[in-house]
Amino acid sequence: MKGSTLREMRADILVVGGGLGGVAAALGALRAGRSVVLTEEFDWIGGQLTSQAVPPDEHSWVERFGITASYRALRDGIRDYYRRYYPLTDRARAWRDLNPGAGHVSRLCHEPRVAVAVLESMLAPYRGSGRLRVLQPYRPVSAAVDGDRVTAVTVAHRDGADEIVVTAGYVLDATETGELLPMTGTEYVTGFESRADTGEPSAPDVAQPTNMQAMSVCFAVDHVDGDHTIDRPERYSFWRDYQPAFWGDRMLSFRSPNPRTLEISERSFTPNPDDDPLLVDADQRRNPGDGNLWTFRRIAARRLFRDGAYDSDICLVNWPMIDYFESPVIDVPDPAHHFAAARELSRSVLYWLQTEAPRTDGGTGFPGLRLRGDVTGSADGLAQAPYIRESRRIRAEYTVVEQDLSLDVRGDKGAAIYPDSVGVGMYRIDLHPSTGGDNYVDVASCPFQIPLGALIPRRMDNLLPAGKNIGTTHITNGSYRLHPVEWNVGEVAGMLADFCLERGVVPRAVRDTPGLLADFQNRLVGEGVELHWPDIAGY
């Protein structure tokens, strides 16, 4: 690149991508004493929890079990941060399972910046010791490969000409879309596999590699006095009149398919309801919580803070109407065009809410809705990064399929038991409308394990997935893509890289050698990684 400066760095382990999986991978390796280079292309580490502005999607038992010790430390740290620095009411401060937003989607809805602060504090000691170097904002642009090993990855500054070549014994791909897979020639899959390939009941007869879940560009709003209407987006008329065949109405409306039944249902929207936040029951087993869009993903409930601290609740908009499924953004000629279109869709949703959305009093529009770009940390007011639900996925030693965890298939047997379990997770198979024209696919799941085989590429020796790019299918990605599972996958990838460096073996040897597998699983348990569920039923 003309005018660029080229530097070199070396570490035991390179983690490309600073989302939840990437941060967890770095921590797993750093706790073992390894030197780590961690890269991130956006201004905040934390991925879907922070730069993508998605409150945690978690299972119903998260307060008791079913997550790793370090993920619990993150959750505890977020609550401690609120208790230490925020003007909570006495009732809120005494609430053991404090939910700052009192949102229905999660027992811990919070402002993204708080998670950034806690994640940074978790990494701070390793930065201070010099064993962790964070390159931010940097993105991968090329990789060097020798046979089945990655020898180096070149990352470039997002806003300038600077490039750095990083060499490492192990390279972990924690990017949101599996960016290192094509760069390194690692075999991967995209989109919908066929039923002939996977045997999955919900799969199509023919593979559809360009059929991927919608992405979303989230944003935060509050509702205060005055007119805060944004400029009318250029293509607002297109999005206002847009009506997918299966939607049941225009997309910009409060009517849309119920994900679980596909019946067309109407949601309510009531800014700043007069509710008691401490009575919110955020349990997906009993209620998905999306009936009132304001409280669904609320991230600051004003009544949990002392009078005057907040003029309004803060609501995080990650609703059906912002799902962009016009095109995939992976392996297409011009992904930037579609990222821009998705951002315009989100701005159009906000403009519609401010000007045309129906109110219960018979009027239209909520001009008091104020875009809170200060909450999401972006110049245009939206989330810094798009929420991309579905990544490229490695062709793995073992691929998790629908019949491994579907409640309809498994029944009271529970999810498949993997002898190489390296963690646990639980979420319904939750697929948003897709670029192939599919409606929601929402299937009840059993609490499941994470098999080590899903983290091991069939061929590459020192490249590991550390996020949504593990060996799942289009269908099972719907359960494995959420916050605590991504963290568990990343943490295990970082610990596996250390274990392989220590023992002088490749990852597949750990899986294939009973003694090595037992040693590695014992190490995971010692670090607070749960490998099995108690006897509980799915939902």
Side-chain angles (χ1 to χ4, degrees):
M1 183 183 297
K2 185 176 180 181
S4 66
T5 58
L6 188 64
R7 293 183 285 148
E8 295 184 357
M9 283 188 181
R10 166 77 193 178
D12 294 331
I13 297 167
L14 166 64
V15 181
V16 180
L20 282 178
V23 172
L27 286 169
L30 289 161
R31 289 198 307 265
R34 296 294 173 182
S35 61
V36 174
V37 168
L38 172 67
T39 75
E40 169 54 35
E41 68 171 298
F42 292 99
D43 293 340
W44 289 348
I45 59 171
Q48 58 179 319
L49 193 63
T50 60
S51 61
Q52 297 166 38
V54 181
D57 287 297
E58 300 170 332
H59 57 72
S60 295
W61 306 279
V62 67
E63 303 295 350
R64 294 187 290 151
F65 49 77
I67 56 177
T68 75
S70 64
Y71 186 80
R72 187 169 304 284
L74 168 62
R75 298 179 88 257
D76 290 345
I78 290 169
R79 286 181 170 138
D80 289 346
Y81 193 95
Y82 274 94
R83 290 190 174 99
R84 181 181 295 269
Y85 297 112
Y86 277 68
L88 297 169
T89 65
D90 291 342
R91 288 180 70 214
R93 191 173 301 279
W95 187 7
R96 188 194 67 176
D97 297 335
L98 172 64
N99 187 350
H104 286 264
V105 74
S106 167
R107 286 186 165 92
L108 185 59
C109 291
H110 56 83
E111 296 172 45
R113 197 182 298 275
V114 175
V116 178
V118 176
L119 290 167
E120 290 283 6
S121 72
M122 295 173 80
L123 293 177
Y126 304 106
R127 289 208 205 206
S129 69
R131 287 198 290 109
L132 170 65
R133 287 169 289 179
V134 180
L135 303 180
Q136 191 179 13
Y138 279 80
R139 56 184 177 82
V141 292
S142 65
V145 177
D146 182 7
D148 297 335
R149 296 186 62 83
V150 182
T151 57
V153 176
T154 300
V155 296
H157 196 283
R158 183 193 63 196
D159 305 321
D162 187 43
E163 291 190 347
I164 302 173
V165 178
V166 185
T167 57
Y170 271 78
V171 175
L172 277 52
D173 185 346
T175 62
E176 298 299 319
T177 57
E179 292 175 46
L180 293 188
L181 303 185
M183 288 183 190
T184 59
T186 301
E187 294 79 6
Y188 66 90
V189 180
T190 62
F192 225 149
E193 296 89 344
S194 72
R195 189 175 302 143
D197 288 338
T198 67
E200 294 174 301
S202 302
D205 292 333
V206 178
Q208 301 169 2
T210 62
N211 188 0
M212 306 177 202
Q213 283 195 72
M215 69 168 173
S216 301
V217 177
C218 304
F219 57 92
V221 293
D222 60 8
H223 189 269
V224 294
D225 292 339
D227 187 342
H228 303 279
T229 305
I230 63 171
D231 293 338
R232 179 186 171 107
E234 184 177 346
R235 298 188 68 218
Y236 175 69
S237 294
F238 170 82
W239 290 116
R240 180 190 58 197
D241 298 333
Y242 182 68
Q243 182 170 338
F246 56 82
W247 205 255
D249 203 333
R250 294 184 306 176
M251 197 164 170
L252 269 59
S253 72
F254 291 135
R255 287 170 52 80
S256 60
N258 180 307
R260 299 187 184 184
T261 67
L262 300 186
E263 296 177 357
I264 305 304
S265 58
E266 183 156 357
R267 294 168 172 84
S268 64
F269 180 68
T270 311
N272 292 322
D274 190 25
D275 65 331
D276 183 348
L278 275 80
L279 298 180
V280 168
D281 179 21
D283 190 331
Q284 296 290 306
R285 287 174 299 179
R286 291 189 280 271
N287 181 3
D290 58 351
N292 185 332
L293 292 173
W294 183 268
T295 56
F296 180 35
R297 295 182 186 271
R298 182 170 53 182
I299 58 174
R302 69 193 188 285
R303 293 187 181 278
L304 292 178
F305 304 93
R306 290 199 291 268
D307 287 346
Y310 280 71
D311 295 328
S312 164
D313 296 347
I314 302 175
C315 172
L316 197 285
V317 177
N318 180 13
W319 305 341
M321 62 184 75
I322 70 167
D323 278 4
Y324 180 85
F325 41 80
E326 289 295 287
S327 168
V329 293
I330 293 172
D331 295 344
V332 296
D334 187 10
H337 167 78
H338 297 291
F339 286 130
R343 299 187 83 82
E344 185 177 60
L345 168 58
S346 292
R347 284 192 291 270
S348 295
V349 168
L350 174 60
Y351 186 79
W352 176 81
L353 288 167
Q354 292 173 321
T355 61
E356 296 190 54
R359 301 195 308 259
T360 55
D361 64 4
T364 56
F366 298 84
L369 288 176
R370 179 174 59 173
L371 187 61
R372 292 296 304 270
D374 55 324
V375 169
T376 55
S378 64
D380 68 356
L382 307 179
Q384 296 173 25
Y387 176 32
I388 301 176
R389 295 177 173 86
E390 187 171 337
S391 174
R392 299 176 181 91
R393 303 181 298 279
I394 63 166
R395 288 198 179 274
E397 291 282 303
Y398 183 84
T399 299
V400 179
V401 292
E402 180 182 4
Q403 52 271 34
D404 284 358
L405 63 150
S406 164
L407 189 60
D408 286 344
V409 174
R410 304 295 304 183
D412 59 8
K413 297 191 300 293
I417 301 297
Y418 305 122
D420 62 342
S421 173
V422 291
V424 296
M426 170 59 201
Y427 207 75
R428 291 175 65 91
I429 294 175
D430 171 21
L431 303 181
H432 283 234
S434 68
T435 58
D438 293 322
N439 205 336
Y440 290 95
V441 176
D442 195 295
V443 178
S445 300
C446 303
F448 55 82
Q449 297 174 334
I450 304 169
L452 178 59
L455 277 68
I456 301 176
R458 293 180 184 175
R459 182 179 58 83
M460 299 298 284
D461 285 339
N462 72 331
L463 177 75
L464 293 171
K468 296 189 287 277
N469 50 355
I470 62 171
T472 57
T473 64
H474 171 82
I475 293 172
T476 56
N477 162 75
S479 290
Y480 278 71
R481 65 179 169 83
L482 287 313
H483 302 66
V485 178
E486 181 187 346
W487 182 279
N488 190 325
V489 166
E491 185 171 8
V492 168
M495 296 174 67
L496 179 61
D498 161 66
F499 187 85
C500 290
L501 287 170
E502 176 190 307
R503 300 295 181 96
V505 297
V506 296
R508 71 180 56 84
V510 177
R511 179 173 185 251
D512 294 342
T513 308
L516 289 174
L517 178 60
D519 287 350
F520 181 59
Q521 289 175 317
N522 286 337
R523 185 170 296 184
L524 294 178
V525 171
E527 290 287 326
V529 177
E530 297 179 20
L531 305 186
H532 308 284
W533 284 97
D535 186 15
I536 52 175
Y539 54 88

